[in-house]
Amino acid sequence: MWKNIEAAPADSILGLTEAFKNDSNPAKVNLGVGVYKDDAGNTPILGSVKAAERILVEKETTKSYLPISGDPGYGAAVQKLLFGENSEVITSGRAATVHAPGGTGALRVGAELLKKFKKQAKVWISKPTWANHKGIFSAAGFELAEYAYYDAGTMSLDFDGMLASLETVPAGDVVLLHACCHNPSGVDLNEEQWSKVVALGKEKGWVPFLDFAYQGFGAGVEADRYAVEQFAAAGVDFFVASSFSKNFGLYNERTGALTLISPTKEESQVAMSHLKSTVRVIYSNPPAHGGLVAATILADSALYDQWIGELDEMRDRIVAMRSALVEGLAARGVERDFSFIKEQRGMFSFSGLSDDIVSWLRDNKAIYVVGGGRINLAGLTTGNIDYVCDSIAEALKK
Ligand code: LMR
């Protein structure tokens, strides 16, 4: 079957991790995939997660199937985190949540569902966006279009360009937005800018689809939900793909959710029925463990506080590494101004390093950066920061 078929290219992000694992250079540094590392270079299991797992080991009595939409406690916990405890969206019952296998699974379920009812729609993605967005929506059969987002000249948001592009989006098309911690740029909208985008979306009648994979990595779980709250208040139909991979460190438990918000409870019930029939033919029902862990933590005030503390620690360490990188490069006499890295949010920085420099760093220094110059700041540690700064400084002199 495969004799005359060419091998598919390696994934631009996960393929890098494979190459990194096979690299025998002891100085190697992985600044590719968006996975948090502590200062010792490990991706720890959070203390709150371990505690919840111990509770589950004691309490769990069955491994029977979950409902198609997942554990009901999980759906409720997801909504509480997305909208806030006393949100009108929750009390009015106009949100429908399914536990999806990770943020990617949530996006794909959403894409499949949209394809059933919005066959002619185009999906608008930011320029640039996470590489897998293109794959996910193309695989579901959508034509893609791009809206302006990042200005490589100023290393900042091209908000006028973004609005101008979004003005042209016809009613019924889907607009994929990063709710916070834009991947790959690290450049977010401020509250005023979000208000304008929400108003425009409502006026034009496009379907907003929010990718919310980094809640808590921007300014905190509450501040980061601003875009979600604004779309909810607008009373429009919209989708949210969220994930506990990063903020709970539950990467390999594939713990994500797709939430559909509708103007009324009745519409939300219809939405849930189609969500369920979509899930049933893809993976039937979700894996349980990660969702039960997250739900256990979110329902217990002591574990919740512990988790928030751990999340704050992760965010603070990344912020410290942003400064260490900027100052480390300046201290080595690098003339280019990298101070914009301190303004970016989340795990990533669009560093402005060219693809030639990215290749040079990988080939000569075993430093792995995603093509386009995206650096995962969480891969930097006090142990490797000097090596990384020396290497970038050397690369920039070439
Ligand atoms: C990333 O952007 O590195 C992460 O979201 C992991 C992934 O699946 O690509």
Side-chain angles (χ1 to χ4, degrees), residues 158-285:
D158 173 11
F159 188 63
D160 291 343
M162 180 183 184
L163 277 189
S165 315
L166 293 179
E167 282 278 355
T168 70
V169 177
D173 272 10
V174 178
V175 177
L176 185 63
L177 296 153
H178 301 230
C180 73
C181 308
H182 182 268
N183 180 2
S185 73
V187 171
D188 284 343
L189 278 69
N190 63 32
E191 295 191 351
E192 198 190 326
Q193 290 165 334
W194 271 122
S195 301
K196 288 189 179 154
V197 168
V198 172
L200 185 63
K202 185 168 176 160
E203 178 199 323
K204 295 278 172 191
W206 25 264
V207 181
F209 196 146
L210 274 59
D211 187 345
F212 199 16
Y214 292 89
Q215 186 174 6
F217 279 84
V221 290
E222 285 165 23
D224 288 355
R225 65 163 81 105
Y226 186 78
V228 176
E229 286 171 334
Q230 294 302 301
F231 277 108
V236 297
D237 282 286
F238 70 105
F239 288 33
V240 181
S242 56
S243 167
F244 291 123
S245 294
K246 324 281 173 172
N247 52 16
F248 279 76
L250 286 170
Y251 304 91
N252 67 14
E253 299 293 354
R254 311 311 296 137
T255 312
L258 177 64
T259 300
L260 270 47
I261 300 88
S262 310
T264 64
K265 181 177 182 173
E266 291 67 35
E267 289 161 275
S268 186
Q269 285 166 346
V270 178
M272 180 52 111
S273 72
H274 288 288
L275 266 174
K276 281 160 61 178
S277 61
T278 305
V279 165
R280 175 64 171 144
V281 295
I282 307 180
Y283 56 84
S284 188
N285 49 75

Side-chain angles (χ1 to χ4, degrees), residues 341-361:
I341 291 178
K342 289 201 215 172
E343 309 307 318
Q344 299 168 336
R345 300 182 345 144
M347 252 188 206
F348 304 118
S349 166
F350 225 25
S351 63
L353 296 178
S354 67
D355 282 344
D356 282 348
I357 290 187
V358 168
S359 303
W360 187 89
L361 287 170

Side-chain angles (χ1 to χ4, degrees), residues 32-97:
V33 67
V35 169
Y36 178 80
K37 299 221 179 73
D38 62 18
D39 200 46
N42 301 316
T43 301
I45 300 177
L46 302 186
S48 52
V49 166
K50 274 281 185 206
E53 286 182 319
R54 277 191 287 272
I55 294 173
L56 287 174
V57 165
E58 288 307 314
K59 272 195 8 198
E60 260 182 322
T61 54
T62 181
K63 294 285 183 191
S64 182
Y65 292 125
L66 286 179
I68 296 173
S69 53
D71 177 67
Y74 176 74
V78 167
Q79 292 189 6
K80 223 164 94 179
L81 197 61
L82 289 184
F83 307 112
E85 181 137 27
N86 302 312
S87 162
E88 169 277 329
V89 180
I90 298 176
T91 51
S92 63
R94 58 189 189 88
T97 299

Side-chain angles (χ1 to χ4, degrees), residues 372-386:
R374 188 194 82 172
I375 288 182
N376 173 19
L377 278 307
L380 293 173
T381 64
T382 47
N384 65 27
I385 186 79
D386 284 336

